[in-house]
mmCIF file of all heavy atoms in Angstrom:
data_model
loop_
_atom_site.group_PDB
_atom_site.id
_atom_site.type_symbol
_atom_site.label_atom_id
_atom_site.label_comp_id
_atom_site.label_asym_id
_atom_site.label_seq_id
_atom_site.Cartn_x
_atom_site.Cartn_y
_atom_site.Cartn_z
ATOM 1 N N ASN R 53 72.884 -1.361 -40.827
ATOM 2 C CA ASN R 53 73.386 -2.453 -39.987
ATOM 3 C C ASN R 53 73.277 -2.181 -38.489
ATOM 4 O O ASN R 53 73.522 -3.066 -37.680
ATOM 5 C CB ASN R 53 74.860 -2.736 -40.314
ATOM 6 C CG ASN R 53 75.008 -3.311 -41.708
ATOM 7 O OD1 ASN R 53 74.066 -3.910 -42.244
ATOM 8 N ND2 ASN R 53 76.164 -3.103 -42.319
ATOM 9 N N GLY R 54 72.962 -0.966 -38.116
ATOM 10 C CA GLY R 54 72.890 -0.637 -36.692
ATOM 11 C C GLY R 54 71.607 -1.132 -36.054
ATOM 12 O O GLY R 54 70.601 -1.351 -36.738
ATOM 13 N N LYS R 55 71.635 -1.307 -34.745
ATOM 14 C CA LYS R 55 70.444 -1.734 -34.009
ATOM 15 C C LYS R 55 69.428 -0.598 -33.937
ATOM 16 O O LYS R 55 69.809 0.555 -33.779
ATOM 17 C CB LYS R 55 70.830 -2.136 -32.586
ATOM 18 C CG LYS R 55 69.629 -2.427 -31.718
ATOM 19 C CD LYS R 55 70.000 -2.696 -30.298
ATOM 20 C CE LYS R 55 68.841 -2.457 -29.354
ATOM 21 N NZ LYS R 55 67.585 -3.081 -29.742
ATOM 22 N N GLY R 56 68.142 -0.944 -33.976
ATOM 23 C CA GLY R 56 67.111 0.071 -33.760
ATOM 24 C C GLY R 56 66.053 0.160 -34.840
ATOM 25 O O GLY R 56 65.191 1.033 -34.772
ATOM 26 N N LYS R 57 66.092 -0.741 -35.809
ATOM 27 C CA LYS R 57 65.118 -0.671 -36.910
ATOM 28 C C LYS R 57 63.741 -1.158 -36.440
ATOM 29 O O LYS R 57 62.763 -0.415 -36.465
ATOM 30 C CB LYS R 57 65.616 -1.495 -38.106
ATOM 31 C CG LYS R 57 66.957 -0.987 -38.639
ATOM 32 C CD LYS R 57 67.547 -1.862 -39.710
ATOM 33 C CE LYS R 57 68.046 -3.210 -39.222
ATOM 34 N NZ LYS R 57 69.229 -3.109 -38.324
ATOM 35 N N SER R 58 63.686 -2.426 -36.014
ATOM 36 C CA SER R 58 62.383 -2.970 -35.612
ATOM 37 C C SER R 58 61.854 -2.244 -34.383
ATOM 38 O O SER R 58 60.661 -1.928 -34.299
ATOM 39 C CB SER R 58 62.498 -4.467 -35.321
ATOM 40 O OG SER R 58 62.924 -5.140 -36.482
ATOM 41 N N SER R 59 62.742 -1.977 -33.424
ATOM 42 C CA SER R 59 62.252 -1.334 -32.197
ATOM 43 C C SER R 59 61.716 0.064 -32.489
ATOM 44 O O SER R 59 60.762 0.514 -31.848
ATOM 45 C CB SER R 59 63.323 -1.331 -31.104
ATOM 46 O OG SER R 59 64.575 -1.022 -31.629
ATOM 47 N N GLU R 145 61.316 -6.740 -41.305
ATOM 48 C CA GLU R 145 62.323 -7.565 -42.000
ATOM 49 C C GLU R 145 61.912 -7.919 -43.435
ATOM 50 O O GLU R 145 62.385 -8.922 -43.988
ATOM 51 C CB GLU R 145 62.656 -8.879 -41.244
ATOM 52 C CG GLU R 145 62.683 -8.798 -39.716
ATOM 53 C CD GLU R 145 63.786 -7.939 -39.135
ATOM 54 O OE1 GLU R 145 64.634 -7.469 -39.897
ATOM 55 O OE2 GLU R 145 63.770 -7.728 -37.904
ATOM 56 N N TYR R 148 64.717 -8.429 -46.567
ATOM 57 C CA TYR R 148 65.452 -9.658 -46.910
ATOM 58 C C TYR R 148 64.726 -10.452 -47.993
ATOM 59 O O TYR R 148 65.343 -11.053 -48.867
ATOM 60 C CB TYR R 148 65.644 -10.542 -45.671
ATOM 61 C CG TYR R 148 66.367 -9.810 -44.583
ATOM 62 C CD1 TYR R 148 65.676 -9.248 -43.521
ATOM 63 C CD2 TYR R 148 67.752 -9.626 -44.650
ATOM 64 C CE1 TYR R 148 66.335 -8.536 -42.534
ATOM 65 C CE2 TYR R 148 68.418 -8.913 -43.673
ATOM 66 C CZ TYR R 148 67.704 -8.368 -42.621
ATOM 67 O OH TYR R 148 68.351 -7.646 -41.665
ATOM 68 N N ARG R 178 67.847 -4.859 -43.056
ATOM 69 C CA ARG R 178 69.107 -4.390 -43.659
ATOM 70 C C ARG R 178 69.009 -4.386 -45.184
ATOM 71 O O ARG R 178 68.161 -5.061 -45.748
ATOM 72 C CB ARG R 178 70.253 -5.300 -43.224
ATOM 73 C CG ARG R 178 70.447 -5.235 -41.723
ATOM 74 C CD ARG R 178 71.540 -6.159 -41.263
ATOM 75 N NE ARG R 178 71.459 -6.236 -39.797
ATOM 76 C CZ ARG R 178 72.455 -6.606 -39.012
ATOM 77 N NH1 ARG R 178 73.604 -6.952 -39.542
ATOM 78 N NH2 ARG R 178 72.300 -6.645 -37.714
ATOM 79 N N ASP R 196 75.939 1.139 -37.559
ATOM 80 C CA ASP R 196 76.424 0.235 -36.518
ATOM 81 C C ASP R 196 77.749 0.776 -35.966
ATOM 82 O O ASP R 196 78.817 0.471 -36.501
ATOM 83 C CB ASP R 196 76.614 -1.164 -37.111
ATOM 84 C CG ASP R 196 77.094 -2.157 -36.075
ATOM 85 O OD1 ASP R 196 76.993 -1.858 -34.867
ATOM 86 O OD2 ASP R 196 77.558 -3.236 -36.467
ATOM 87 N N HIS R 199 78.088 -2.721 -31.010
ATOM 88 C CA HIS R 199 76.971 -3.545 -30.521
ATOM 89 C C HIS R 199 77.505 -4.498 -29.458
ATOM 90 O O HIS R 199 78.542 -5.134 -29.669
ATOM 91 C CB HIS R 199 76.301 -4.322 -31.658
ATOM 92 C CG HIS R 199 74.953 -4.872 -31.268
ATOM 93 N ND1 HIS R 199 74.805 -5.904 -30.386
ATOM 94 C CD2 HIS R 199 73.709 -4.491 -31.619
ATOM 95 C CE1 HIS R 199 73.519 -6.161 -30.213
ATOM 96 N NE2 HIS R 199 72.823 -5.309 -30.965
ATOM 97 N N TYR R 201 76.772 -7.323 -28.585
ATOM 98 C CA TYR R 201 76.918 -8.722 -29.019
ATOM 99 C C TYR R 201 78.373 -9.050 -29.357
ATOM 100 O O TYR R 201 78.872 -10.130 -29.038
ATOM 101 C CB TYR R 201 76.023 -8.931 -30.246
ATOM 102 C CG TYR R 201 76.112 -10.284 -30.866
ATOM 103 C CD1 TYR R 201 75.520 -11.391 -30.262
ATOM 104 C CD2 TYR R 201 76.784 -10.467 -32.080
ATOM 105 C CE1 TYR R 201 75.596 -12.649 -30.849
ATOM 106 C CE2 TYR R 201 76.859 -11.720 -32.668
ATOM 107 C CZ TYR R 201 76.272 -12.799 -32.044
ATOM 108 O OH TYR R 201 76.348 -14.032 -32.620
ATOM 109 N N ARG R 202 79.048 -8.077 -29.958
ATOM 110 C CA ARG R 202 80.450 -8.321 -30.359
ATOM 111 C C ARG R 202 81.375 -8.361 -29.158
ATOM 112 O O ARG R 202 82.526 -8.773 -29.270
ATOM 113 C CB ARG R 202 80.902 -7.279 -31.390
ATOM 114 C CG ARG R 202 80.202 -7.463 -32.736
ATOM 115 C CD ARG R 202 80.930 -6.757 -33.861
ATOM 116 N NE ARG R 202 80.852 -5.316 -33.757
ATOM 117 C CZ ARG R 202 79.796 -4.595 -34.105
ATOM 118 N NH1 ARG R 202 78.711 -5.183 -34.574
ATOM 119 N NH2 ARG R 202 79.823 -3.280 -33.992
ATOM 120 N N ILE R 211 65.618 -5.374 -24.504
ATOM 121 C CA ILE R 211 66.501 -4.573 -25.348
ATOM 122 C C ILE R 211 66.558 -5.159 -26.752
ATOM 123 O O ILE R 211 66.386 -4.462 -27.738
ATOM 124 C CB ILE R 211 67.938 -4.527 -24.750
ATOM 125 C CG1 ILE R 211 67.915 -3.895 -23.355
ATOM 126 C CG2 ILE R 211 68.892 -3.782 -25.665
ATOM 127 C CD1 ILE R 211 67.477 -2.439 -23.320
ATOM 128 N N ASP R 212 66.800 -6.447 -26.815
ATOM 129 C CA ASP R 212 66.986 -7.108 -28.113
ATOM 130 C C ASP R 212 65.790 -7.966 -28.532
ATOM 131 O O ASP R 212 65.665 -8.308 -29.698
ATOM 132 C CB ASP R 212 68.234 -7.995 -28.063
ATOM 133 C CG ASP R 212 69.493 -7.176 -27.790
ATOM 134 O OD1 ASP R 212 69.788 -6.301 -28.615
ATOM 135 O OD2 ASP R 212 70.140 -7.393 -26.751
HETATM 136 P P1 ATP F 1 65.980 -4.092 -32.904
HETATM 137 O O1 ATP F 1 64.902 -5.122 -33.073
HETATM 138 O O2 ATP F 1 66.690 -4.273 -31.606
HETATM 139 O O3 ATP F 1 65.520 -2.715 -33.182
HETATM 140 P P2 ATP F 1 67.076 -4.235 -35.548
HETATM 141 O O4 ATP F 1 65.710 -4.467 -36.069
HETATM 142 O O5 ATP F 1 67.730 -2.941 -35.917
HETATM 143 O O6 ATP F 1 67.122 -4.429 -33.982
HETATM 144 P P3 ATP F 1 67.899 -6.718 -36.748
HETATM 145 O O7 ATP F 1 68.899 -6.821 -37.816
HETATM 146 O O8 ATP F 1 66.472 -6.979 -37.069
HETATM 147 O O9 ATP F 1 68.105 -5.309 -36.035
HETATM 148 O O10 ATP F 1 68.375 -7.696 -35.600
HETATM 149 C C1 ATP F 1 67.598 -8.020 -34.520
HETATM 150 C C2 ATP F 1 68.437 -8.532 -33.399
HETATM 151 O O11 ATP F 1 69.823 -8.489 -33.685
HETATM 152 C C3 ATP F 1 68.279 -7.705 -32.122
HETATM 153 O O12 ATP F 1 68.461 -8.587 -31.071
HETATM 154 C C4 ATP F 1 69.417 -6.739 -32.219
HETATM 155 O O13 ATP F 1 69.877 -6.253 -30.971
HETATM 156 C C5 ATP F 1 70.473 -7.560 -32.874
HETATM 157 N N1 ATP F 1 71.312 -6.680 -33.681
HETATM 158 C C6 ATP F 1 70.933 -5.611 -34.387
HETATM 159 N N2 ATP F 1 71.974 -5.023 -34.977
HETATM 160 C C7 ATP F 1 73.064 -5.724 -34.624
HETATM 161 C C8 ATP F 1 74.475 -5.610 -34.888
HETATM 162 N N3 ATP F 1 74.936 -4.634 -35.642
HETATM 163 N N4 ATP F 1 75.296 -6.552 -34.342
HETATM 164 C C9 ATP F 1 74.815 -7.546 -33.587
HETATM 165 N N5 ATP F 1 73.501 -7.711 -33.298
HETATM 166 C C10 ATP F 1 72.638 -6.822 -33.803
#
Side-chain angles (χ1 to χ4, degrees):
N53 292 335
K55 173 185 158 49
K57 300 174 290 293
S58 299
S59 42
E145 323 294 354
Y148 302 100
R178 297 178 192 201
D196 181 16
H199 195 289
Y201 177 74
R202 291 198 291 282
I211 299 296
D212 299 299

